[in-house]
Amino acid sequence: MSERLNHLATTIQNVLGARVQSVEVALNEVTLVVAAQDYFTAALMLRDEPALAFEQLIDLCGVDYQEYGDGSWTGLRFAVVSHLLSLQHNQRLRLRVFAPDDSYPVVASLVPVWSSANWFEREAFDLFGILFDGHEDLRRILTDYGFIGHPFRKDFPISGTVEMRYDPELKRVVYQPVTIEPREVIPRIVREESYGGPA
């Protein structure tokens, strides 16, 4: 299996050339990292090059690397990770790109390359605030239209800042500050003395 994956990594390096920031084989997977300016072109080449033929995007998600590795991470904060499938060669690939600006994360949209990226990119925008240049309908998909912030960012407050509820007197949905008191719950586990030992 690793020989096949190493061959895929070599083929990717040969086809993409200088566009490859890194290509790594680990845990029976190939991970390719490209720069944001090469992301769209690299995706087209991964799809159209007969030796690769990654004709299907099966998943795309955002990642927030803030505090990754217990705070030892020093790279860019936001990444987009795509999982590609080549039916023709029966191979998979993980494609990662980092947004070059942490305060305004933007990468190219892959919808023109794989139409299945559409809702995945909307989800990454909604939950992480990552923008996709060229996406024709980039709007929230999981949170409410009036929602403020991006709930999967590591700095988003755990309990949120606003709660929404239906008010029967006003006969409409109302927003109000969160009223939940933050607390730390530590579970207690009580076991018998002989738990797990000989009977």
Side-chain angles (χ1 to χ4, degrees):
M1 179 64 111
S2 62
E3 184 179 322
R4 191 162 182 243
L5 296 177
N6 287 331
H7 180 264
L8 173 60
T10 303
T11 305
I12 289 169
Q13 184 69 61
N14 292 339
V15 170
L16 297 181
R19 291 181 180 88
V20 174
Q21 283 191 331
S22 71
V23 61
E24 176 183 336
V25 178
L27 304 172
N28 289 325
E29 293 182 326
V30 178
T31 301
L32 166 65
V33 180
V34 296
Q37 68 267 17
D38 297 323
Y39 181 50
F40 186 81
T41 305
L44 280 173
M45 294 173 79
L46 290 168
R47 183 193 69 184
D48 296 340
E49 172 60 42
L52 298 171
F54 285 101
E55 62 265 277
Q56 190 172 20
L57 181 140
I58 55 176
D59 190 22
L60 182 147
C61 65
V63 181
D64 182 354
Y65 280 93
Q66 180 176 312
E67 299 177 21
Y68 178 74
D70 293 328
S72 64
W73 180 259
T74 57
L76 294 166
R77 178 176 174 182
F78 294 104
V80 174
V81 179
S82 306
H83 294 267
L84 309 177
L85 173 65
S86 172
L87 297 169
Q88 181 179 341
H89 301 296
N90 190 25
Q91 292 182 317
R92 293 173 185 263
L93 173 69
R94 177 186 295 126
L95 172 62
R96 181 182 297 131
V97 61
F98 286 90
D101 184 356
D102 289 346
S103 62
Y104 190 71
V106 181
V107 297
S109 173
L110 295 185
V111 174
V113 182
W114 296 287
S115 60
S116 60
N118 189 344
W119 282 19
F120 291 129
E121 289 181 353
R122 285 182 58 190
E123 182 181 81
F125 161 70
D126 191 2
L127 300 178
F128 290 94
I130 299 170
L131 299 166
F132 293 88
D133 187 28
H135 194 294
E136 294 185 2
D137 188 23
L138 195 61
R139 59 191 161 100
R140 292 190 182 272
I141 192 168
L142 294 173
T143 59
D144 184 59
Y145 295 117
F147 192 86
I148 297 170
H150 304 284
F152 278 17
R153 286 188 173 192
K154 300 263 178 84
D155 53 4
F156 190 81
I158 292 176
S159 61
T161 54
V162 197
E163 61 186 347
M164 176 182 74
R165 66 176 180 79
Y166 179 78
D167 188 318
E169 293 176 11
L170 297 173
K171 295 187 173 103
R172 65 181 179 91
V173 173
V174 295
Y175 295 89
Q176 60 191 45
V178 171
T179 57
I180 301 169
E181 290 295 322
R183 61 188 175 118
E184 188 172 323
V185 180
I186 301 171
R188 288 186 171 182
I189 299 173
V190 179
R191 295 186 175 148
E192 299 172 3
E193 294 279 331
S194 61
Y195 180 80

